[in-house]
């Protein structure tokens, strides 16, 4: 085999494989270029989620006709005047985006330097398509059409227009968040979907791009450590979300998706949040150029820190400091060094036979009890009842009888053979999930119409996702329909959830759907969807329960499969056997 140097168009196409994965990545390069050009306003318009067309117009410095040609050559850049990559202050520096995009799409560049005439130049899948004078205001307008039309191997990997659009929206949001001084607009198929004014301050821009409510539900961060500085906003732990998508991280003004940073955020919130909940944060790290290497990946979304431990400390320390100052202390967790017996650890779902866990005597009544018992949405009763019944036979009631409630969160029960503690929310969530599963197996979940349909405002991509799954959600008892660009109208909710927080439920479901593959039906993802719903229909921690309610919960747990673990794999109850109590007091 003889070795040959690859022709330029092939080199570009190979590079495109790394730089241009999907419309959103091409868009990212174009908007970065517009930012680097010194623009005050950047207008993006997309057709078909970016698969048919992507256009980015800026009012920046523009290019001369000669520079336009150079820009389309590989490794041609105006951004490294010297040889020091460390000193780069622009978003771009590799000089490969434009030629890469031009090799897998039709690319038209129009540009005009102030005081000169405009010029236009087109390239089609690597082949020059002519050039000539163009009329446009000072600045640059770049149009990408039919991305991957000639690269079927790549085109095949594109997802629906809707999800490509969602990825594009995310790119614009992140870059717009990095630069509140610049105004951004985004149009999709002729409709304006995002608009932020130039010259905003950072918190206002972050709130405009995430959730207006973040303003009242976050704390500002301003923290130094060594040569690095951390700024931005941290959502309060109570303002959490079901997915980690709402974390915006920037290093020296560059949006990044970095495992180290994400891990540090998780660590900072660790004992403030349940493991499956995620905070909303926008964190801006600024540090000297020689402390960080941005040239790790062609798409420039990953970085490498010279002192990773220091950066982790910066984030954990900065977040903790900010959250503590807001009056939020981390939960103190006492280490209990006694042999509490708990429900068996997570089992792999369906194949577990409930009767092998609970005694055969109760397994037989599973269905009857589950069908006849109403959900726990009755009002909490007064606490005057007596709870002095003798502990029942362990073989019939392994979880015992309720003796009281601790911290309005845990049920204390006495069983014949020991002391039982139940996490009421985790346990109830599990029961609701199992009820939903049974209802689905029997043809669908009953819904309950809301007295007044509720309008829930969400971002457009979230509304799109919910709308596209509306028929499937109906089978699960949730009836909703599109209500304008950025809202859905909820008409009915699953009856077995009782009256809950509709907005919270719908917001979490939209997040949950974002994590799904389009190809999967909700039926296949039933557990996740049902778990999200169940969480909203459950007895909250902090709710006072009557003795009768507590006992009803214990009895239902005993006959419900998988009730020993919550939907996230944590135990729902623990038992301290009599022998263990004696050991604790040194009686044995
Ligand atoms: N919107 C724009 N306005 C002005 N100049 C631009 C614009 N887009 C690209 N350029 C010029 O084209 C060059 C090549 O762009 P690109 O291929 O993205 O590489 P890089 O951004 O890494 O330099 C840039 O260095 C810049 O000089
Ligand atoms: Mg660039």
């Amino acid at each position: 085999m003889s070795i040959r140097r690859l022709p330029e168009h092939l080199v570009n196409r190979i590079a495109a494989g790394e730089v241009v994965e999907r419309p959103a990545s091409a868009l990212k390069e174009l908007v970065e270029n517009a930012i680097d050009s010194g623009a005050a306003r950047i207008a993006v318009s997309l057709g078909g989620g970016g698969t048919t067309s992507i256009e980015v117009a800026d009012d920046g410095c523009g290019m001369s006709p000669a520079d336009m040609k150079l820009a389309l050559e590989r490794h041609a850049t105006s951004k490294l005047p010297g040889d020091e990559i460390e000193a780069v202050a622009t978003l771009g520096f590799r000089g490969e985006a434009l030629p890469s995009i031009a090799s897998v799409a039709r690319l038209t560049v129009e540009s005009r330097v102030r005081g000169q005439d405009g010029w236009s130049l087109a390239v089609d899948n690597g082949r020059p398509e002519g050039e000539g004078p163009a009329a446009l205001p000072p600045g640059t307008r770049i149009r990408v059409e039919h991305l991957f039309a000639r690269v079927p191997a790549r085109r095949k990997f594109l997802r629906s227009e809707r999800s490509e659009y969602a990825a594009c929206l995310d790119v614009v949001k992140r870059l717009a968040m990095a630069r509140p001084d610049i105004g951004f607009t985004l149009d999709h198929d002729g409709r304006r979907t995002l608009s932020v004014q130039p010259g905003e301050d950072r918190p206002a821009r972050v709130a405009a791009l995430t959730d207006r409510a973040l303003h009242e539900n976050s704390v500002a961060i301003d923290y130094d450590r060594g040569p690095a500085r951390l700024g931005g906003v941290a959502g309060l732990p109570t303002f959490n979300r079901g997915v980690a998508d709402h974390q915006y991280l920037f290093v020296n003004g560059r949006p990044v998706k970095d495992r180290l940073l994400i891990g540090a955020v998780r660590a900072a919130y660790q004992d403030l949040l349940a493991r499956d909940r995620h905070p909303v944060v926008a964190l801006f790290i600024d540090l000297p150029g020689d402390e960080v290497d941005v040239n790790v990946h062609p798409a420039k979304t990953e970085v490498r820190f010279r002192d990773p431990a220091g950066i982790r400390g910066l984030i954990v320390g900065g977040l903790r400091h900010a959250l503590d100052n807001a009056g939020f202390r981390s939960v103190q967790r006492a280490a209990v060094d006694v042999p509490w017996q708990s429900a068996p650890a997570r089992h792999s779902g369906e194949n577990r036979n409930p009767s092998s866990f609970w005694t055969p005597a109760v397994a037989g009544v599973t269905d009857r009890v589950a069908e006849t018992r109403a959900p726990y949405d009755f009002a909490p009763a007064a606490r005057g009842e007596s709870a002095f019944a003798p502990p029942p036979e362990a073989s019939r009631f392994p979880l015992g009888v309720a003796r009281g409630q601790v911290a309005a969160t845990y049920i204390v029960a006495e069983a014949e053979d020991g002391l039982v503690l139940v996490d009421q929310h985790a346990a109830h969530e599990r029961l609701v999930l199992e009820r939903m599963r049974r209802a689905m197996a029997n043809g669908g979940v009953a819904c309950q119409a809301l007295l007044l349909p509720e309008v829930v405002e969400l971002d457009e991509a979230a509304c799109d996702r919910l709308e596209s799954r509306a028929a499937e959600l109906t089978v699960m008892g949730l009836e909703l329909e599109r209500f304008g660009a950025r809202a859905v109208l909820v008409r009915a909710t699953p009856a077995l959830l009782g009256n809950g927080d509709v907005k919270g439920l719908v917001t979490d479901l939209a997040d949950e759907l974002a994590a799904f593959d389009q190809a999967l039906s909700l039926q296949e993802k039933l557990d996740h969807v049902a778990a999200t719903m169940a969480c909203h229909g459950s007895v909250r921690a902090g709710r006072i329960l009557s003795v009768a309610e507590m006992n009803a919960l214990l009895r239902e747990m005993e006959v419900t499969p998988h009730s020993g673990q919550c939907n996230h794999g944590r135990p729902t109850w623990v038992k301290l056997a009599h022998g263990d109590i004696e050991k604790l007091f040194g009686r044995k």
Side-chain angles (χ1 to χ4, degrees):
M1 243 192 301
S2 57
I3 297 180
R4 67 161 180 153
R5 273 186 204 284
L6 296 176
E8 172 140 335
H9 72 273
L10 267 187
V11 175
N12 285 335
R13 196 169 273 193
I14 290 168
E18 294 179 303
V19 184
V20 193
E21 229 182 311
R22 58 194 299 193
S25 36
L27 175 64
K28 170 174 174 296
E29 296 294 335
L30 299 181
V31 176
E32 285 185 356
N33 281 345
I35 291 174
D36 285 345
S37 79
R41 287 175 188 274
I42 298 174
V44 178
S45 48
L46 304 170
T51 57
T52 3
S53 67
I54 303 169
E55 189 178 288
V56 177
D58 66 59
D59 59 358
C61 64
M63 285 175 275
S64 68
D67 275 352
M68 286 164 75
K69 267 186 225 153
L70 255 185
L72 284 163
E73 278 175 27
R74 200 168 157 67
H75 302 314
T77 179
S78 57
K79 301 172 193 175
L80 286 179
D83 288 345
E84 285 175 28
I85 295 191
E86 297 73 37
V88 64
T90 49
L91 294 170
F93 57 85
R94 298 173 59 104
E96 54 187 359
L98 288 183
S100 297
I101 297 170
S103 76
V104 291
R106 185 190 155 85
L107 180 84
T108 314
V109 186
E110 295 169 284
S111 196
R112 185 178 146 203
V113 177
R114 187 172 294 278
Q116 298 178 13
D117 289 333
W119 194 252
S120 152
L121 196 156
V123 181
D124 190 5
N125 284 275
R127 222 171 308 121
E129 283 272 284
E131 55 186 297
L136 73 159
T140 303
R141 186 156 66 208
I142 299 192
R143 196 172 163 78
V144 177
E145 287 160 300
H146 308 302
L147 186 69
F148 300 141
R150 307 260 188 84
V151 197
R154 295 311 288 269
R155 188 152 191 103
K156 222 171 48 202
F157 283 97
L158 292 184
R159 299 179 43 184
S160 66
E161 288 185 2
R162 194 171 271 157
S163 29
E164 295 302 336
Y165 166 69
C168 289
L169 176 64
D170 188 60
V171 159
V172 176
K173 272 191 184 174
R174 284 175 197 269
L175 286 166
M177 207 178 282
R179 292 296 299 267
D181 55 318
I182 302 178
F184 288 84
T185 57
L186 173 63
D187 292 321
H188 184 215
D189 290 336
R191 227 161 29 79
R192 174 119 326 159
T193 55
L194 178 151
S195 170
V196 282
Q197 296 306 310
E200 279 179 323
D201 65 8
R202 205 181 248 172
R205 176 62 64 93
V206 171
L209 290 169
T210 50
D211 190 328
R212 267 167 285 152
L214 184 65
H215 228 29
E216 302 86 61
N217 288 287
S218 61
V219 288
I221 304 169
D222 189 1
Y223 192 73
D224 285 291
R225 189 176 157 130
R229 206 180 144 259
L230 181 72
V233 294
L236 295 180
T238 42
F239 194 69
N240 59 50
R241 305 293 295 261
V243 290
D245 293 5
H246 310 276
Q247 301 182 356
Y248 300 87
L249 307 169
F250 304 84
V251 174
N252 288 348
R254 189 185 293 280
V256 295
K257 295 196 165 157
D258 186 280
R259 304 259 297 279
L260 169 94
L261 301 184
I262 293 167
V265 170
R266 188 174 315 125
Y269 279 88
Q270 193 167 21
D271 43 12
L272 301 170
L273 273 185
R275 234 184 315 158
D276 55 316
R277 303 298 301 178
H278 305 272
V280 179
V281 296
L283 301 180
F284 298 81
I285 299 169
D286 289 296
L287 72 180
D290 57 358
E291 289 286 322
V292 57
D293 184 358
V294 294
N295 189 25
V296 182
H297 188 267
K300 299 163 296 181
T301 50
E302 289 164 35
V303 292
R304 197 175 288 140
F305 296 103
R306 203 179 57 77
D307 175 18
I311 295 299
R312 192 183 158 87
L314 172 78
I315 293 176
V316 177
L319 282 172
R320 282 285 161 145
H321 183 77
L323 292 172
D324 282 354
N325 279 355
F328 289 80
R329 302 272 156 229
S330 57
V331 178
Q332 298 297 315
R333 232 183 266 153
V336 182
D337 193 24
V338 291
W340 285 88
Q341 170 201 343
S342 78
R346 197 184 187 87
H347 285 259
S348 54
E350 302 316 320
N351 52 18
R352 180 164 159 244
N353 175 6
S355 59
S356 67
F357 179 48
W358 296 111
T359 57
V362 279
V365 300
T366 303
D367 288 336
R368 185 180 49 78
V369 175
E371 274 157 24
T372 51
R373 189 150 293 142
Y376 299 95
D377 51 9
F378 36 74
R383 313 225 54 195
E385 315 135 81
S386 103
F388 299 109
E393 266 171 79
S395 60
R396 290 199 50 221
F397 299 115
L399 294 180
V401 288
R403 292 298 188 213
Q405 208 182 4
V406 177
T409 301
Y410 304 101
I411 297 169
V412 181
E414 181 180 359
E416 198 182 32
D417 56 348
L419 169 68
V420 176
L421 277 184
V422 174
D423 177 334
Q424 68 191 41
H425 175 66
H428 190 241
E429 193 175 309
R430 189 70 203 183
L431 298 181
V432 173
L433 172 62
E434 294 296 332
R435 282 194 208 122
M436 287 201 75
R437 276 191 180 159
R438 273 194 302 273
M440 287 299 291
N442 293 330
V445 177
C447 68
Q448 180 188 332
L450 298 177
L451 277 178
L452 290 174
E454 190 163 334
V455 177
V456 178
E457 284 183 34
L458 293 161
D459 70 32
E460 186 158 7
C463 295
D464 286 347
R465 287 193 294 271
L466 288 166
E467 188 186 13
S468 72
R469 299 291 198 167
E472 288 167 283
L473 289 169
T474 302
V475 182
M476 301 182 128
L478 183 69
E479 280 179 20
L480 51 76
E481 63 200 53
R482 189 63 176 250
F483 194 70
R486 287 154 153 268
V488 293
L489 186 71
V490 181
R491 293 197 176 278
T493 54
L496 51 70
L497 297 190
N499 302 326
D501 160 23
V502 176
K503 176 170 166 48
L505 170 66
V506 172
T507 308
D508 277 0
L509 276 176
D511 283 349
E512 184 72 39
L513 293 180
F516 288 0
D517 192 317
Q518 293 272 319
L520 288 177
S521 68
L522 288 193
Q523 181 67 44
E524 288 168 287
K525 287 288 182 184
L526 173 65
D527 267 2
H528 292 275
V529 179
T532 303
M533 290 190 175
C535 181
H536 284 272
S538 304
V539 170
R540 293 275 148 202
R543 158 126 177 245
I544 307 284
L545 297 177
S546 70
V547 171
E549 285 175 305
M550 291 189 275
N551 278 324
L553 187 75
L554 295 173
R555 299 293 80 80
E556 190 173 352
M557 285 174 72
E558 286 167 349
V559 294
T560 300
H562 317 300
S563 67
Q565 79 222 359
C566 77
N567 302 339
H568 320 292
R570 294 186 295 270
T572 54
W573 59 268
V574 292
K575 181 187 271 186
L576 193 57
H578 284 155
D580 296 325
I581 299 178
E582 284 165 1
K583 261 188 234 151
L584 269 181
F585 291 101
R587 284 170 166 271
K588 233 184 177 179

